[in-house]
């Protein structure tokens, strides 16, 4: 019996050693065959495949794996993004390095989302983070890089379709032009998706300028990170089915919260109005102005005055869009309306064209008539003899009009 126990212990130790060497061999094989798999999940590997080994004067170095800076800076997995409608905040991320022919290295961080809106949201969060970190630095909108982009100190960030990409210079913040060139090349690789910023951003007053400082949160769960010391925002219940955008106009901060159902908008409006009254009675901070516009809840914080805050809100229009999941039951009425509008448009165009032609002909005729009148008057003044015909052609029966060319006259008897 003691001998059999010793044999069993020896066999067990041998099996443990074989298992140990087998596991290590598998890990070593994985790292050698595909180094990126040691750092990235399957989604990240697919994302890395979109990044070519050579682009223009840039050559890709060894893939590094998952980007850490976006996570460590708190730009991903934020509290206000945890229940994003894009699929519970799921995304794929990857990072690699490129080196130029001059030897300059650039870090490329790419994140792929389920929706265009989430990629744009990360771009706005990224730009706000850079502005907060270095208020004295200049952050400007890029031109022609992806759908929207920002040039930041040491690099550039853009979004296109479902992708967010950050390109930053490694060890030398002065290589921004080369980073922009690399960003242009990368932007050509991705599908443009919807090819535009979210519609809610376009409802901001003067949105082309306002979007440069906008912060956009789709499917948010909290708004505490947008406006600090505003307890009224804690009463908003989005249910993960609301989007928000905020930007600044001078010292005023404008925020639009869009609820995707009328019932959710009405319930939140009731709670917000009640909470504002309660906060005002307690002497606590309240918005300078608040109003419900359609499914929008619009806030203005830190405004100069209530009048100026309301003037900002007056510029916001809620545009309702109805989409039928099946066949449109009002298709015939819609066709009639379009036919009527088209016919009326053609009639109005014909009337306009006819009126324009009449006015043009009348003006042209008046111009020629005026020129002819002036010419006739000039001829009349140039006559040396009296004419009782107003300068017009007349028979010289009384021989009072002098003959200017007697050689052309037929003589007597001829």
């Amino acid at each position: 019996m003691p001998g059999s126990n010793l044999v069993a212990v020896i066999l067990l130790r041998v099996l443990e050693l074989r298992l140990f060497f087998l596991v290590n061999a598998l890990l070593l094989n994985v790292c050698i065959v595909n180094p990126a798999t040691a750092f990235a999940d399957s989604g990240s590997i697919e994302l890395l495949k979109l990044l070519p080994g050579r682009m223009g004067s840039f050559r890709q170095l060894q893939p590094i794996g998952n980007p850490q800076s976006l996570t460590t800076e708190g730009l991903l997995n934020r509290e206000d993004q945890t229940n994003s409608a894009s699929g519970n905040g799921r995304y794929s991320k990857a990072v690699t390095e490129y080196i130029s022919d001059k030897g300059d290295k650039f870090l490329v961080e790419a994140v792929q989302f389920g929706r265009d809106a989430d990629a744009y949201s990360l771009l706005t969060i990224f730009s706000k983070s850079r502005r907060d970190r270095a208020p004295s630095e200049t952050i400007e909108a890029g031109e022609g890089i992806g759908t929207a982009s920002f040039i930041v100190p040491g690099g550039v960030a853009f979004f296109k379709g479902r992708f967010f990409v950050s390109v930053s210079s490694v060890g030398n913040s002065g290589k921004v032009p080369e980073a922009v060139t690399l960003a242009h090349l990368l932007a050509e690789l991705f599908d443009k998706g919807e090819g535009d910023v979210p519609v809610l951003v376009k409802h901001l007053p003067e949105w082309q300028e306002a979007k440069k400082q906008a912060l956009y949160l789709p499917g948010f769960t909290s708004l505490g990170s947008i406006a600090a010391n505003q307890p009224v925002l804690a009463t908003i219940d989005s249910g993960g089915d609301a989007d928000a955008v905020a930007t600044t106009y001078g010292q005023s901060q404008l925020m639009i919260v869009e609820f995707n159902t009328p019932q959710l908008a009405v319930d939140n409006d009731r709670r917000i109005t009640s909470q504002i009254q309660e906060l005002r009675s307690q002497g606590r901070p309240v918005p300078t102005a608040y109003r419900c516009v359609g499914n929008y809840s619009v806030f203005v914080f830190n405004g100069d005055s209530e009048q100026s805050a309301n003037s900002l809100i007056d510029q916001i229009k809620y545009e309702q869009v109805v989409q039928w999941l099946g066949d449109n039951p009002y298709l015939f009425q819609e066709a009639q309306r379009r036919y009527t509008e088209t016919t009326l448009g053609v009639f109005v165009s014909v009337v306009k064209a006819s009126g324009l032609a009449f006015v043009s002909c009348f003006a042209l005729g008046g111009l020629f008539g005026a020129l002819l009148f002036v010419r006739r008057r000039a001829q009349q003044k140039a006559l040396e003899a009296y004419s009782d015909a107003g300068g017009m052609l007349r028979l010289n029966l009384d021989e009072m009009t002098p003959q200017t060319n007697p050689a052309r006259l037929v003589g007597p008897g001829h």
Side-chain angles (χ1 to χ4, degrees), residues 92-114:
S92 299
K93 53 184 180 177
V95 64
T96 187
E97 281 189 357
Y98 281 88
I99 185 171
S100 68
D101 292 342
K102 299 178 182 179
D104 300 315
K105 293 183 180 180
F106 298 91
L107 182 69
V108 176
E109 297 177 278
V111 185
Q112 180 180 4
F113 292 93

Side-chain angles (χ1 to χ4, degrees), residues 28-44:
L28 182 61
N29 182 59
V30 168
C31 293
I32 293 175
V33 173
N34 191 357
T37 58
F39 303 94
D41 56 16
S42 59
S44 300

Side-chain angles (χ1 to χ4, degrees), residues 271-285:
R271 283 194 300 269
I272 292 170
T273 303
S274 176
Q275 182 69 7
I276 289 176
Q277 295 175 355
E278 183 178 348
L279 292 172
R280 185 176 286 114
S281 64
Q282 296 174 359
R284 300 178 63 188

Side-chain angles (χ1 to χ4, degrees), residues 317-335:
K317 307 298 181 184
Y318 176 74
E319 298 179 1
Q320 187 177 10
V321 178
V322 178
Q323 293 181 342
W324 297 97
L325 299 180
D327 294 333
N328 186 354
Y330 303 102
L331 187 60
F332 179 72
Q333 290 87 338
E334 180 71 15

Side-chain angles (χ1 to χ4, degrees), residues 29-337:
N29 182 59
V30 168
C31 293
I32 293 175
V33 173
N34 191 357
T37 58
F39 303 94
D41 56 16
S42 59
S44 300
I45 297 173
E46 293 299 324
L47 184 56
L48 282 172
K49 291 180 180 178
L50 295 177
L51 304 177
R54 185 82 185 186
M55 289 187 301
S57 61
F58 299 92
R59 175 174 55 87
Q60 186 183 35
L61 297 177
Q62 182 68 35
I64 299 174
N66 288 333
Q68 298 298 325
S69 61
L70 297 176
T71 304
T72 55
E73 293 177 13
L75 304 185
L76 288 172
N77 296 326
R78 289 158 49 106
E79 178 186 359
D80 46 28
Q81 296 174 303
T82 49
N83 290 331
S84 174
S86 62
N88 296 324
R90 287 178 292 188
Y91 52 82
S92 299
K93 53 184 180 177
V95 64
T96 187
E97 281 189 357
Y98 281 88
I99 185 171
S100 68
D101 292 342
K102 299 178 182 179
D104 300 315
K105 293 183 180 180
F106 298 91
L107 182 69
V108 176
E109 297 177 278
V111 185
Q112 180 180 4
F113 292 93
R115 297 187 312 175
D116 295 17
D118 295 292
Y120 176 71
S121 175
L122 182 55
L123 177 65
T124 62
I125 294 171
F126 177 88
S127 63
K128 182 179 184 300
S129 173
R130 293 300 184 269
R131 286 194 300 269
D132 295 342
R133 180 189 302 177
S136 60
E137 298 287 351
T138 300
I139 297 178
E140 57 185 10
E143 295 294 336
I145 307 175
T147 305
S149 60
F150 288 98
I151 298 176
V152 300
V156 60
F158 69 89
F159 102 96
K160 185 177 181 181
R162 298 179 293 122
F163 298 90
F164 165 86
V165 180
S166 170
V167 180
S168 56
S169 177
V170 177
N172 190 346
S173 60
K175 298 296 181 181
V176 175
E178 289 192 66
V180 171
T181 302
L182 179 57
H184 273 289
L185 295 174
L186 289 169
E188 297 297 326
L189 304 175
F190 304 111
D191 181 73
K192 69 176 183 178
E194 297 177 1
D196 204 352
V197 300
V199 176
L200 182 59
V201 178
K202 293 186 174 183
H203 288 182
L204 291 169
E206 300 177 358
W207 73 272
Q208 290 282 10
E209 187 66 25
K211 72 176 182 178
K212 298 178 181 178
Q213 307 244 348
L215 177 62
Y216 178 70
L217 297 177
F220 66 87
T221 58
S222 172
L223 293 174
S225 61
I226 296 183
N229 301 323
Q230 295 295 340
V232 67
L233 298 180
T235 64
I236 296 178
D237 181 15
S238 67
D241 195 22
D243 305 329
V245 63
T247 189
T248 57
Y249 296 89
Q251 70 175 20
S252 301
Q253 184 180 30
L254 174 68
M255 177 189 298
I256 305 177
V257 179
E258 180 184 15
F259 300 98
N260 294 325
T261 62
Q263 186 62 43
L264 194 59
V266 170
D267 293 341
N268 277 275
D269 177 57
R270 188 181 301 112
R271 283 194 300 269
I272 292 170
T273 303
S274 176
Q275 182 69 7
I276 289 176
Q277 295 175 355
E278 183 178 348
L279 292 172
R280 185 176 286 114
S281 64
Q282 296 174 359
R284 300 178 63 188
V286 296
T288 307
Y290 164 77
R291 192 185 307 169
C292 181
V293 182
N295 283 3
Y296 294 162
S297 289
V298 187
F299 302 84
V300 177
F301 302 106
N302 306 318
D304 297 330
S305 64
E306 185 175 356
Q307 181 180 3
S308 62
N310 283 318
S311 66
L312 273 178
I313 299 179
D314 290 339
Q315 301 178 52
I316 298 174
K317 307 298 181 184
Y318 176 74
E319 298 179 1
Q320 187 177 10
V321 178
V322 178
Q323 293 181 342
W324 297 97
L325 299 180
D327 294 333
N328 186 354
Y330 303 102
L331 187 60
F332 179 72
Q333 290 87 338
E334 180 71 15
Q336 278 187 324
R337 183 183 64 82

